[in-house]
Every structure is written in structure tokens, then in C-alpha cells.
Amino acid sequence: MTRQYLPDMPGSAPAPIYPTDAVQYVKGIGPVRAEALAAIGIDTVLDLLYYFPRKYLDRRNIQPISELIIGEQATVLGKVMGLGERKSRRGRVFQLTVQDDSGLLTCVWFRGGEWIKDKFQVGDQVALSGQVEFYRRLQMVHPDFDILEEEDNPINTGKIVPVYPGTADLRAKGLESRRLRRIMQSLLERLPPVDDPQSEPLLSAGGLMGLDQALREMHSPTDDETLATATHRLKFDEHFYLQLLMALRRRALGALPGRKIVDRGPLVKQIYRDLDFELTGAQIRVLREIRADFQSGHMMNRLLQGDVGSGKTVVALLAAAIVAHAHGQTAVMAPTEILAEQHYRAFTAFSRKAGLSLALLTGSTPPDRRKEILGQLKSGDLALIIGTHALIQDDVTFKDLAFMVIDEQHRFGVLQRGKLMEKGVYPHVLAMTATPIPRTLAITYHGDMDISILDERPANRGAVITTILSPDQVGDARALIRRECRQGHQAFIIYPLIEESEKGDLQAAKSGFTALKKQLPGLRIAYLDGKMSGADKDSTMQLFSAGEVDVLVSTTVVEVGIDVPNATVMVVENAERFGLTQLHQLRGRIGRGALPGHCLLVQRGGGDETTARLQTLVESTDGFEIADADLKLRGPGQLFGSRQHGFERLKLGNLVTDGPIIRSARKAAFAMVQKDPDLRSGEHRLLRQVLIHRYQDQLDFVKVN
Ligand code: ADP
Ligand code: MG
């Protein structure tokens, strides 16, 4: 690449600027703008180089106005011919008329008058991107826009022009896209080649572009193909550092000593014999995997993935019984009281004859009882404790916590898990989740854990038929409920409640309950929501479990874990408001026994697209397939609690589409750690620095700094 130096003084090149320099020394920035950049995490020149354009204007994807197609996304380039405000029914409207060689386009901004008004002048060259609509004439509503200088007009220059993301603050400080573009260009001219932390052999094996070229290409693209290669290299890096973190963690955790438990003992055999069902092949396989960890002398760090109803609970109990025989204690932590209570009941029932000492500890445990439990945990009289977050309070201490089970682990943060772990000496960890995730995601989100999968439904499970209902078919749902309940079965009706604080949602559930009592006379109907006291919730659930309630109207508090094999009907109100995975989990509340079930999704909004999305559930009962569809439609954020994302710093990377890159990055990272476990060798010095810079807060257990 030829470098053009703009002479500061005749005959001398400008002073170079280095990646580690503070960003304020970049020409065109200075202290005030540096502050605005610091606010979005840009402190050094290197940080600025990693501030990538959000899109590129390429003359090839610009369309003449006369060829725009209504309803499609497009980018046009033209000259501002007129601008002004007018009043309309919707308040003040700012309007811009733009012309290119082929025609006229109107752009409108509703209610946005103030900030947009001063942006444009007649005669400006602008690029506009948005959806093409027709209202009296061709128009775009609230398009993305970019004011272009003559020299960065892609048509004139034949270049690909980067467009930077902006914030109001950046714009206020004069750092709009156009300015950033100029700042970047002059920076690139003064910047000596950036060192590449990756070795030459790794780059050539992976067909990866050098870092210096890739970074420059991002800000000053040569052509589509080269830009794609640059993007590929930088994506690889993002996944690589994440996988390096995973490899280091896994190594560090795997190297930790763990209680060595060799014998199975009679307790587990007794519980096993008392089960009134056969374990599935998958359950037996997973138990074997867990036992191998117990025997290894190293700490177990295992994720158990199993679709709803695949029987994770009994696996955890049998593992706990092995630990109990070795005089170790087990803690089972669940995200809600209802779930903890249910586990407690199940564990008690399964182990009644074998005689395992266990207790339940939640926020609703009365103080006296709590005190008693804490005493027994400390003395070792209790082999097993089941509970909620109440387990991680400071005054809960164990005689010897050797095994912890985290149910629905995505509902907990890393810190909460860590807190429970600290109550023992490297206790074995089994995290369980009913959100089956595709493999590329699993190795990203859980790349530091071993993974076990329960991929077999217990035998004799009735089939569940799923149907989408329109609002005028709700009568069918009631008829079905009546029919099923007359045969002694039970039904759930679920209302969406996204935030506990949303009053409207709570109201909908309550009035649904009132209406239903009138519509289904003779049936015993109960109501449950998260606002009720623990005792009320518990007694309602108990009544439903015991079959003394026919229909349970509830918010999503029953989402996880509830296990009532006699329930055959699941009606979900406003199904359009749920994610597919969540609906699949709700549906998993029925079909848990031998009885066939019916899942009715009442769609009250969203149109055809939503129906198509819900149709996935009609067609599939495979949790992996459904999670995959959800992931493609809504992204990983919806699939996991947001809390877990602390370590995910992907700017370019995409967990859904980058499968091959993720796999090759993982391979390279794990091979590197295998050869150089603490990244101590000289050739990895720079890599180590970058890792520490990116993942400073995630390096507990890992000794690289
Ligand atoms: P999940 O994996 O969703 O947590 P559970 O552990 O709650 O599932 O199990 C669902 C139901 O299936 C429970 O009633 C449990 O007792 C029962 N169950 C577990 N394993 C088997 C099996 N192998 N055969 C029959 N029923 C089983
Ligand atoms: Mg469960």
C-alpha cells in the first residue's frame, strides 16, 4: 500500500503516532472530543482503529431514484433541492427534497424537527438509506443519512465510503461520520504498521490477512473482496480471544484438585431400585460421565443440557447420592421458590426409602427453621440442601460442600455461581439447562465446560399436538379444557408477564381468571402470579399438583420446571409475545406423563410473520431445532438471560452465522494453550497483552498476568 504523507513543513513527514498513544493526540481530536470518545470506551489510538464503520457506501449498491422499488430498502445519493417544515395531523414534519439525475425523492421526519433542521442546506450532497414508501410521491421516513463532501462522494471517487456509527454526544462534539472519516484517513497516514500478535504460520494456515492491512482496509476499503477478507480476519480475532479465554479457563479449572470419589455406595443403588421407571439410555450415559469426573481427582465443571422433560432432576439426585456416600454435602440451587419446592418434593419422594437427609431453604423459610437448617448444614447432619438464592447468603456455611447443582443455570450470574462455589473447597459443579443450544453457541457460551446432553425422551410419553388459535377461536380452547377436565385431566392457561412490574399484564391475567370462572362453571380454577407470597404460591401449586385444582391460570412463573404429569392442556394467551424457546418450555409442562396433550397458542397480534414463527412449534418438538430458529429470528440475547453476556465482546462477530470461523478459532486457541499453558513464551507476549486488555475482568482462575 502506498502511503501519502501530507507535508507539515516542506520536506518533512508528519510525526508518527503509535497505537498506544492517547487518542487526543490524533489530529482533529483534542481533549474535548477525546472525552466524548472515552465515554464510549475509546482511549487509545488502537481503540479508535477498532471503532469500525457500521456500513459502507459503495457506488454499486446505490440506486437511481427512478429505479426504487416501493417496500424495499435502498440507498440513494442526491443533492438537497429544498427543505422545510410543515404541520400535519401528526404534529410538525420536517421534509427534505432530494434529486439525482433520474428523479426526486422526499424524506420526512415526524416530530424530529429540532435536531434535524439544522443538519442540511440546499445544495448538500447526501446519501440516504431507508425503506422506500409511496405517499403522494416516493418517500423515505426517517432515513439514515450522511452528508458527503465532494471528495467522499462514492460516485465521483469510485470509492467505498465508510459510514461510522454515532451517538448524540459524538455528534454534539463534532464527531459525526464525515469528520471521523477524515480523522481516520489522516491517522492512517501517520500510523506506522501495527504489530500483529498472531504468528505468521497461524495466519497462513488460516488464510488470514495481516492485522495492519486488515485494520487499514476497514477504514479505507479497496474493494468488496479485500474488505471481506479484512472483516474475516478481525472476526477471527474476536472469536479467537474469546476461545483463548475459554481454553485457559478450562485448563485452569481442569487442573484444580477435586474431591476424588471412587465408590458408588449403596445409597444410590437403593434410590435407583426404588424408582418407578427405567432410566433412559441418555440418563445412564450422563451419570457415567459424571461418575468419571468424580473419579478423576479433578474438579467437575459440567453443563447438562436436556430438553424439557428429559429427566435432569433424577440425574442430579443420583449424583448427589454418590457424593453423600462419600460424606460430602450437595447444594441444589434453583432460580425460583416454586422450582426449589418442587425439587424438594421430588428428591424427598425419590429418596424416601433410602433415607437421604435433606432440607429446603428459601426466602420464605421461617427464621427458626432457617436457624435449625444452618446448624445442620454446618454440623454435616444434612447431606443435601435445596434452595434458591437464599443459599448464597453469607451466614450459610457447610461442613463440607462437595457438589453443587445449578438448575436453569442461565438464570444465574457468574457471580452467584461463584459465591456458592466459595462455600466449599473446589466443589464439583453440575449446571443444568433446558435451553438446548446449537453447538457453536455452546462452545462460545460454555466453552470452558464439559457438556453432557440428555437427548432422549423417557418412554411412554404422550404426544403433544400444537395448534395456533385466532382470538375468535378461543371458544375452542374452553371447550377442550372442559372436555379434558371432565376426564379428570388438568389445564394451564398462561398469560405473558414480561416484567413483574408491568401492571397491565398482571391485570390481564387477573381479569382472564375472573372471566374464566364464569365461563367454566363447575371447574375448580386457581390463580397464580409472581407477586403472591411464597406460601400462597406454594399452596396453590400444591393443590394443582394434588389434582384438587382443574385449571391453573398463571403468569410465566410456571415457565420452568413445574411437573404435573396429569396436566394435558396448555393454553398460552398472547403467544406472539413469547420467544419460541420460551413457548417450547411452556409446552414442556404438559405431555410429561403417558397422556397425550394439547398446546393451544392464542395469537392476538403480529400478523402473518408471527404466525409463520409460531408455526415452527406446530411442526417441531425438537428443542434444538426450535432454539436454532429462535436464534436466527431474535439473536442470542433472547435465548439467554442478558446477565451471562459479561464475556461476550463481539463487534463484528456473529454467533449465528460464524460457525466455521468459531470452530477454527477454537481449534487454534486450544492448540496454543496446549503448547503454552500460561502463554509464557516470547512469541505469545503480544497475544497475552491483548487478551488481558480485552478480558481483564474475566481472568479469575486464569494466571496470565
Ligand atoms: P427436566 O429435565 O425438564 O427437569 P424432570 O427432571 O422434571 O425434567 O423430569 C420430568 C418428569 O419425568 C418427572 O416427573 C420425572 O420423575 C420423570 N422422569 C424422569 N426420568 C424418567 C424416565 N427415565 N422415565 C420416565 N419418567 C422419568
Ligand atoms: Mg427441571
Side-chain angles (χ1 to χ4, degrees):
M1 174 185 283
T2 53
R3 192 101 28 94
Q4 296 171 341
Y5 287 110
L6 298 175
D8 280 352
M9 278 174 12
S12 78
I17 186 157
Y18 296 97
T20 48
D21 286 344
V23 77
Q24 78 169 87
Y25 301 116
V26 173
K27 190 171 154 218
I29 293 188
V32 176
R33 288 176 178 166
E35 222 170 274
L37 288 169
I40 55 168
I42 299 174
D43 298 314
T44 64
V45 168
L46 194 64
D47 295 337
L48 187 61
L49 287 170
Y50 276 91
Y51 191 61
F52 299 130
R54 77 187 151 86
K55 66 172 182 185
Y56 297 89
L57 293 175
D58 176 352
R59 62 189 306 185
R60 273 158 298 183
N61 54 36
I62 289 163
Q63 285 165 274
I65 291 173
S66 63
E67 287 172 24
L68 293 180
I69 298 170
I70 292 161
E72 294 199 345
Q73 292 290 326
T75 298
V76 304
L77 210 67
K79 194 187 238 171
V80 175
M81 304 304 288
L83 48 91
E85 277 179 287
R86 61 178 167 84
K87 288 226 167 70
S88 85
R89 274 177 297 125
R90 294 170 66 178
R92 279 195 316 195
V93 180
F94 177 75
Q95 187 170 313
L96 191 73
T97 310
V98 175
Q99 182 177 39
D100 71 2
D101 292 343
S102 73
L104 281 176
L105 174 74
T106 305
C107 299
V108 292
W109 282 263
F110 296 105
R111 282 181 298 256
E114 288 318 309
W115 72 274
I116 200 92
K117 205 160 70 184
D118 306 328
K119 292 283 167 192
F120 301 97
Q121 284 180 343
V122 171
D124 281 348
Q125 278 291 336
V126 290
L128 300 147
S129 308
Q131 171 143 341
V132 182
E133 298 178 8
F134 193 85
Y135 180 73
R136 294 192 196 143
R137 61 182 78 99
L138 282 178
Q139 70 168 28
M140 285 183 182
V141 179
H142 297 190
D144 273 354
F145 64 90
D146 216 16
I147 298 166
L148 304 171
E149 295 279 277
E150 207 54 28
E151 79 255 21
D152 49 38
N153 179 329
I155 297 265
N156 295 339
T157 59
K159 271 207 277 190
I160 303 175
V161 176
V163 179
Y164 289 90
T167 64
D169 187 36
L170 286 186
R171 278 194 295 270
K173 301 257 169 67
L175 285 173
E176 69 276 7
S177 180
R178 185 158 53 131
R179 183 84 53 124
L180 272 168
R181 199 148 54 216
R182 253 188 267 139
I183 288 172
M184 292 290 190
Q185 293 316 314
S186 85
L187 168 61
L188 293 185
E189 282 158 17
R190 288 165 169 243
L191 185 78
V194 177
D195 285 338
D196 196 331
Q198 300 285 17
S199 69
E200 187 46 50
L202 187 141
L203 293 179
S204 50
L208 297 168
M209 184 184 272
L211 183 61
D212 183 66
Q213 192 192 349
L215 286 172
R216 288 173 195 273
E217 186 70 21
M218 293 302 283
H219 300 288
S220 180
T222 318
D223 53 43
D224 276 356
E225 215 171 298
T226 319
L227 180 59
T229 314
T231 309
H232 179 88
R233 157 65 205 258
L234 294 165
K235 275 187 181 188
F236 176 88
D237 272 6
E238 289 183 358
H239 293 302
F240 178 84
Y241 286 110
L242 185 49
Q243 291 299 335
L244 193 58
L245 175 70
M246 292 298 165
L248 287 164
R249 268 207 211 156
R250 186 159 174 159
R251 209 197 93 84
L253 291 173
L256 292 177
R259 155 110 29 148
K260 192 164 174 156
I261 304 172
V262 181
D263 285 341
R264 247 190 318 182
L267 195 55
V268 65
K269 285 184 200 150
Q270 173 81 48
I271 295 174
Y272 177 74
R273 269 200 302 271
D274 293 343
L275 293 176
D276 53 10
F277 49 75
E278 292 289 319
L279 292 182
T280 64
Q283 284 170 320
I284 290 168
R285 190 189 65 230
V286 169
L287 270 167
R288 221 176 270 140
E289 288 164 356
I290 292 171
R291 270 203 76 203
D293 287 347
F294 283 166
Q295 291 172 335
S296 73
H298 294 294
M299 191 187 124
M300 169 165 79
N301 187 29
R302 186 170 287 282
L303 177 72
L304 174 53
Q305 280 193 45
D307 209 345
V308 276
S310 58
K312 295 182 286 295
T313 314
V314 69
V315 171
L317 172 66
L318 291 168
I322 296 174
V323 173
H325 171 69
H327 306 290
Q329 290 171 295
T330 296
V332 179
M333 186 156 74
T336 62
E337 288 197 8
I338 290 187
L339 202 54
E341 284 155 10
Q342 179 183 289
H343 280 332
Y344 178 67
R345 280 195 296 275
F347 278 39
T348 309
F350 285 141
S351 65
R352 186 165 290 135
K353 281 197 213 144
L356 186 67
S357 56
L358 73 169
L360 174 71
L361 184 67
T362 70
S364 316
T365 307
D368 285 353
R369 174 72 183 131
R370 180 170 190 274
K371 211 167 144 208
E372 187 185 3
I373 291 173
L374 295 195
Q376 290 171 333
L377 276 179
K378 199 166 176 181
S379 70
D381 287 346
L382 275 175
L384 202 157
I385 183 84
I386 297 160
T388 54
H389 299 88
L391 293 178
I392 57 178
Q393 280 163 2
D394 286 339
D395 58 346
V396 179
T397 52
F398 291 79
K399 175 155 189 250
D400 182 11
L401 176 64
F403 180 34
M404 54 188 253
V405 178
I406 312 286
D407 194 20
E408 302 295 336
Q409 66 90 33
H410 61 284
R411 308 267 297 256
F412 292 98
V414 176
L415 279 179
Q416 291 165 314
R417 242 175 296 169
K419 261 193 153 157
L420 184 54
M421 206 156 138
E422 279 165 20
K423 294 184 185 292
V425 183
Y426 303 130
H428 294 295
V429 178
L430 181 68
M432 308 201 291
T433 176
T435 309
I437 55 176
R439 194 172 151 69
T440 50
L441 269 195
I443 61 180
T444 301
Y445 281 88
H446 309 295
D448 55 347
M449 304 181 102
D450 292 309
I451 295 179
S452 288
I453 298 179
L454 283 181
D455 50 4
E456 200 177 330
R457 260 163 83 82
N460 312 330
R461 287 277 160 91
V464 174
I465 296 164
T466 302
T467 317
I468 303 170
L469 296 185
S470 59
D472 55 4
Q473 293 173 309
V474 172
D476 297 359
R478 284 194 295 271
L480 180 73
I481 291 174
R482 222 176 275 129
R483 210 163 55 233
E484 286 289 319
C485 290
R486 213 174 289 140
Q487 295 174 40
H489 305 153
Q490 291 163 282
F492 288 104
I493 301 180
I494 305 293
Y495 283 83
L497 181 65
I498 307 308
E499 288 283 331
E500 291 289 325
S501 60
E502 287 193 18
K503 288 210 181 90
D505 282 347
L506 211 52
Q507 205 43 53
K510 280 181 181 153
S511 46
F513 170 58
T514 317
L516 213 70
K517 277 197 293 195
K518 291 204 195 96
Q519 292 156 349
L520 297 174
L523 291 186
R524 296 161 300 174
I525 306 176
Y527 174 83
L528 188 70
D529 73 41
K531 281 255 159 67
M532 290 160 50
S533 77
D536 285 351
K537 278 189 279 194
D538 192 27
S539 63
T540 307
M541 257 338 283
Q542 297 267 30
L543 288 175
F544 189 67
S545 296
E548 284 165 41
V549 161
D550 302 305
V551 182
L552 183 63
V553 177
S554 168
T555 63
T556 39
V557 285
V558 298
E559 175 191 343
V560 284
I562 297 299
D563 187 34
V564 181
N566 191 45
T568 56
V569 182
M570 166 62 65
V571 180
V572 184
E573 268 293 338
N574 289 97
E576 73 280 359
R577 289 181 52 191
F578 293 89
L580 294 180
T581 302
Q582 207 182 5
L583 288 171
H584 177 64
Q585 295 201 338
L586 286 170
R587 178 170 62 178
R589 302 305 114 219
I590 57 170
R592 296 175 80 85
L595 300 167
H598 299 272
C599 175
L600 306 176
L601 305 174
V602 183
Q603 185 190 347
R604 293 188 185 275
D608 292 350
E609 230 168 88
T610 303
T611 312
R613 186 167 70 89
L614 296 177
Q615 191 66 24
T616 314
L617 287 161
V618 174
E619 282 155 22
S620 176
T621 53
D622 178 341
F624 275 94
E625 216 174 280
I626 290 161
D628 223 8
D630 220 6
L631 189 67
K632 288 191 179 119
L633 290 165
R634 311 203 307 164
Q638 299 291 335
L639 208 50
F640 304 92
S642 54
R643 269 175 295 189
Q644 208 173 23
H645 295 192
F647 63 78
E648 183 207 306
R649 311 222 165 126
L650 304 179
K651 282 186 187 167
L652 299 169
N654 179 323
L655 293 171
V656 180
T657 53
D658 289 350
I661 307 182
I662 295 174
R663 280 189 290 276
S664 71
R666 181 173 175 87
K667 214 169 136 201
F670 275 70
M672 187 173 291
V673 170
Q674 171 96 37
K675 262 207 258 155
D676 183 9
D678 298 314
L679 300 186
R680 284 284 158 219
S681 84
E683 61 167 329
H684 297 144
R685 187 183 52 86
L686 255 179
L687 271 177
R688 194 170 81 225
Q689 279 174 14
V690 178
L691 180 76
I692 292 169
H693 180 68
R694 289 198 188 186
Y695 288 106
Q696 193 118 46
D697 52 336
Q698 301 286 327
L699 294 173
D700 39 343
F701 296 119
V702 175
K703 296 179 199 67
V704 287
N705 35 358

